[in-house]
Amino acid sequence: MTEPNPYAADGQPEYQWGPDTPPGTPAYGYPAPGYGYPHGAPGQTQPAGVPVPMHTPPPGGGGVPLVSIGDITVLQDTIVTPAGTMPLKGAVWNATDMSRYEEKIPTHAIVLAIVFFIFCLLGLLFLLMKEKVTTGFIQVTVTSGGRHHSTMIPAQSPMTFQQVMGQVNYARSISAM
């Protein structure tokens, strides 16, 4: 591009995109030294004599997930959502079934009925074929500590709501402790 930028402010230097690294350095995406997972077994040291750090859970709320409902994860004393963390104690849980269960004649049954109707009248029996389909979502909401989060879980089968309700009831029981 040799044309000047028509939107450049007067007195400002022209913006040049790209890294400000000298030629010969690794490109973006290559691991920089010192980054990434530590190599070696616990107790070993790095070349500079620094011990390899061990993974420790973060203070205040870390731990093993007890239950995960969509993008809501329940830990021992907190609820972790994409919107932030909430206290587990006193949380209010809600689940709403917004799924549908419907039966319909599949497309291949209609095609077979038309093809075999031309040859014999038994082709109409293909119209008795039914396909059972579950569509929709189960909405789970949690409110705690002045925060509110909602997630939608796709319904895969008629039993999806019962499975999600089991998880929600478990989360309710540990929220009441």
Side-chain angles (χ1 to χ4, degrees):
M1 271 178 97
T2 59
E3 301 170 11
N5 184 359
Y7 303 107
D10 292 332
Q12 294 286 349
E14 176 128 4
Y15 175 73
Q16 298 293 324
W17 68 276
D20 292 335
T21 56
T25 58
Y28 178 78
Y30 285 91
Y35 286 95
Y37 294 105
H39 300 288
Q44 288 185 339
T45 58
Q46 296 175 348
V50 179
V52 176
M54 296 296 296
H55 174 71
T56 57
V64 179
L66 300 176
V67 67
S68 181
I69 307 168
D71 58 2
I72 301 171
T73 304
V74 179
L75 302 176
Q76 290 183 357
D77 59 348
T78 58
I79 302 167
V80 179
T81 65
T85 59
M86 304 180 214
L88 178 62
K89 188 169 179 73
V92 178
W93 295 86
N94 239 342
T96 307
D97 187 8
M98 294 190 281
S99 63
R100 276 193 325 232
Y101 180 74
E102 57 189 37
E103 289 185 5
K104 64 178 188 172
I105 300 172
T107 308
H108 66 273
I110 295 172
V111 171
L112 288 173
I114 292 171
V115 169
F116 282 101
F117 177 73
I118 295 171
F119 297 114
C120 61
L121 295 176
L122 293 176
L124 295 177
L125 291 176
F126 285 108
L127 294 177
L128 296 177
M129 293 173 60
K130 298 289 182 190
E131 182 179 52
K132 299 174 182 174
V133 178
T134 303
T135 58
F137 295 91
I138 287 82
Q139 181 183 25
V140 177
T141 59
V142 60
T143 304
S144 179
R147 289 185 163 207
H148 176 80
H149 182 72
S150 177
T151 186
M152 303 287 271
I153 300 166
Q156 303 294 330
S157 71
M159 295 301 295
T160 304
F161 184 66
Q162 283 79 13
Q163 294 167 350
V164 170
M165 277 306 295
Q167 292 176 321
V168 168
N169 286 332
Y170 176 67
R172 284 177 181 160
S173 68
I174 58 177
S175 293
M177 292 181 169

